[in-house]
Amino acid sequence: MVLVWTQPDGWFFAGIAAMCVLLAVHFAGFFRAMAPRRRTLEWITFVDPPAPRFGCGPLVHAQLAWYELVLLLCIAVGTAFLQLRLRVPRELLQAVLRSAPLAEWLEIVLIYAVSPAVCALSVFFAARRLTDHPVLPYCAAFLMAFDVNYDPEQLPFLLLAAAFLLRWWGASQTLPALPCALELLAMTAYLALGAYVAPPTLLAAVLLFVPVCFGAIFRASHADAPRRWLRLFAALAGYWAMLFLWMTLIRIPGALLETGLPFLQMFADARFWSALGAQITAAAAALQSSGMPLLAIFSLPMQLYALFAAIAGVWLAVTRRDLCGLLMAWLFIAGTALWALDLAAPAFGSLLPCAYIWSRWLQRGRGAAVGIAVLLAVSAAALVLLLIL
C-alpha cells in the first residue's frame, strides 16, 4: 500500500519546483559551511588539494554498547511490526495464522517482517561506515523503517551489497589483497542471493562493478607495490568469478532436489546450466520490459534531497579530493537508473548519499539537522496517512 501520483499535473510539477528551490536554499548552507573559515589556513586545501581520500569514515568502530544493541533491536522489531501491518491486510494475516501451513506462515513473516528489519539494520551499519556521529546512523535507519515503497524480496540484498562495497572502497587503497577479496566475496554473495530471488539484481551487479573498477584502477595507477597490475586483473576478473561462483553454489541444493542426481553428475546435466542461463536471460528480459516507476510520497522528497546530495558529493570530490563523494554520486545514479526502469527501490540510491553529506555537514555545523528533521517529519506524516487510510 503506497501513496502515489499516477497522473502528474501542473500542481505536481509546481510542487517539485518548490521543493527544488527550498533544497537549493538548504544546500547553500552546506556550501557555506564547507567554505574555509576565516582566520584559518583552510584555504590552502583549495590551492593545494590534499591526497585523494577513499575512506568513507573511521575504519575501526567502537563496539556497540548494550543500550545501542537494545535500540537496534527495538528498531528491528518496530520495523517488522509496522511493515507487516501496512503490507499484509489484517484479515489475510489472521487467516494465515489460523489455518495456513507453517511454510506459508514463515514465508509471510520472512518477506514482510524480517526483510524490512534487515533493510533498516543494513542502512544503519552502512551509514555507520560513513560517519562517527553517534546519532546519524539511527536517523538513516528510521527513514528506512518508515519507507514502504520497495520490494522486500530484493532490497535487503542490494543494501547489504552496498554496505560491503563501502567496506571494500575504504580498504581497497590501504589493505592487502586478501582482506579486500573477502569484502568483494561478501558483496557478490549478497548480489547472487538477490539475483536468485529477483533476477534484475544482476543489473545492479553490473552498475556496482563501476566503482569496483574505478577503485582497483586507481590503486594500480598510484601504488608502487609489486605485481600491482596482477592485483588489478585479479580484482576485476575476481568480481565476476565470485559472482558466478555464488550463483552456481546457490542453485545446487534446489537442483539436487529437482533432478535427484548425485552431486557430481548434476554438473554434467544440461538442466542445471540451462536454469542458470535462464536466470541471466530473465535479468535481460526485465530490462527490456521494465515498467513505469512510482512517484510516491515516501520516496520523492528523499530522491530530490539525494540529487542535491550527489551534486554536493561530486563537489567534495573535485575540491577536497574526497573520492567517497564520487561513490555516493554513482550510487545515486545507479539507484535512479534502476528506479526509472522500475527494477529497484529509490532507497537503494538515496539514503546513503544523504547520510554521507550529513556526516560531512555535521562536522562543520548543525545545518544538516534541519534536513534530517524535515525528512523524518514528512516520512512520519506519510506513514500516519497510510495507517489512517
Side-chain angles (χ1 to χ4, degrees):
M1 184 179 182
V2 182
L3 297 177
V4 299
W5 288 280
T6 55
Q7 294 182 347
D9 53 11
W11 288 105
F12 171 79
F13 292 110
I16 295 291
M19 281 192 282
C20 288
V21 171
L22 291 175
L23 286 173
V25 174
H26 177 62
F27 273 86
F30 168 78
F31 291 111
R32 282 198 303 270
M34 299 304 295
R37 293 188 176 102
R38 293 181 179 180
R39 301 197 242 337
T40 67
L41 298 178
E42 290 183 352
W43 58 270
I44 295 177
T45 60
F46 288 86
V47 179
D48 184 17
R53 178 174 178 266
F54 269 75
C56 302
L59 291 178
V60 179
H61 292 275
Q63 292 184 348
L64 292 171
W66 66 268
Y67 60 88
E68 294 178 300
L69 294 175
V70 172
L71 182 55
L72 284 179
L73 179 61
C74 293
I75 291 174
V77 173
T79 302
F81 176 80
L82 185 63
Q83 297 283 336
L84 193 64
R85 166 69 178 83
L86 290 173
R87 292 177 181 273
V88 182
R90 183 177 301 177
E91 296 78 11
L92 176 60
L93 185 60
Q94 291 176 350
V96 168
L97 292 175
R98 281 198 307 266
S99 58
L102 179 61
E104 184 177 343
W105 182 83
L106 289 176
E107 181 181 4
I108 289 179
V109 171
L110 182 63
I111 295 175
Y112 298 110
V114 176
S115 178
V118 171
C119 287
L121 295 180
S122 300
V123 168
F124 172 86
F125 286 106
R128 200 163 177 257
R129 297 292 304 179
L130 297 171
T131 181
D132 53 1
H133 194 279
V135 179
L136 178 57
Y138 294 100
C139 296
F142 278 122
L143 285 170
M144 186 70 251
F146 291 161
D147 194 355
V148 295
N149 185 31
Y150 62 89
D151 180 3
E153 296 185 24
Q154 181 191 33
L155 187 59
F157 303 106
L158 292 176
L159 290 175
L160 287 167
F164 278 96
L165 174 62
L166 290 180
R167 291 173 59 90
W168 178 87
W169 182 264
S172 62
Q173 308 302 310
T174 56
L175 297 185
L178 182 58
C180 296
L182 293 177
E183 303 292 354
L184 281 184
L185 190 66
M187 174 184 170
T188 52
Y190 286 115
L191 289 172
L193 281 169
Y196 182 77
V197 175
T201 306
L202 284 178
L203 301 174
V206 175
L207 293 171
L208 293 182
F209 177 66
V210 173
V212 172
C213 188
F214 177 85
I217 292 175
F218 191 93
R219 168 149 184 165
S221 59
H222 289 78
D224 296 328
R227 296 179 294 182
R228 54 181 178 169
W229 299 109
L230 179 61
R231 175 169 173 166
L232 170 64
F233 175 78
L236 300 185
Y239 177 88
W240 297 108
M242 292 174 190
L243 183 62
F244 180 77
L245 174 64
W246 283 117
M247 291 175 64
T248 304
L249 292 176
I250 289 168
R251 287 209 161 267
I252 288 177
L256 288 173
L257 294 174
E258 182 180 354
T259 62
L261 296 173
F263 181 77
L264 294 178
Q265 293 183 14
M266 181 193 62
F267 292 101
D269 193 329
R271 290 175 293 177
F272 178 80
W273 301 108
S274 63
L276 192 60
Q279 186 177 353
I280 300 173
T281 305
L287 181 62
Q288 296 174 357
S289 60
S290 56
M292 292 296 294
L294 293 176
L295 299 170
I297 291 177
F298 275 102
S299 58
L300 188 56
M302 179 64 69
Q303 285 174 277
L304 290 175
Y305 199 103
L307 171 62
F308 282 83
I311 295 171
V314 174
W315 180 83
L316 284 176
V318 172
T319 60
R320 299 297 179 90
R321 307 291 295 276
D322 191 349
L323 297 184
C324 189
L326 290 181
L327 175 60
M328 295 297 109
W330 181 254
L331 279 180
F332 174 75
I333 292 171
T336 303
L338 292 173
W339 168 79
L341 296 171
D342 197 25
L343 298 178
F348 169 58
S350 299
L351 279 172
L352 295 184
C354 293
Y356 164 73
I357 291 300
W358 291 335
S359 68
R360 297 298 179 265
W361 199 344
L362 288 172
Q363 294 173 357
R364 309 278 296 189
R366 299 178 180 270
V370 177
I372 297 173
V374 169
L375 287 176
L376 283 171
V378 169
S379 298
L383 187 64
V384 171
L385 245 131
L386 281 177
L387 290 172
I388 293 174
L389 296 176

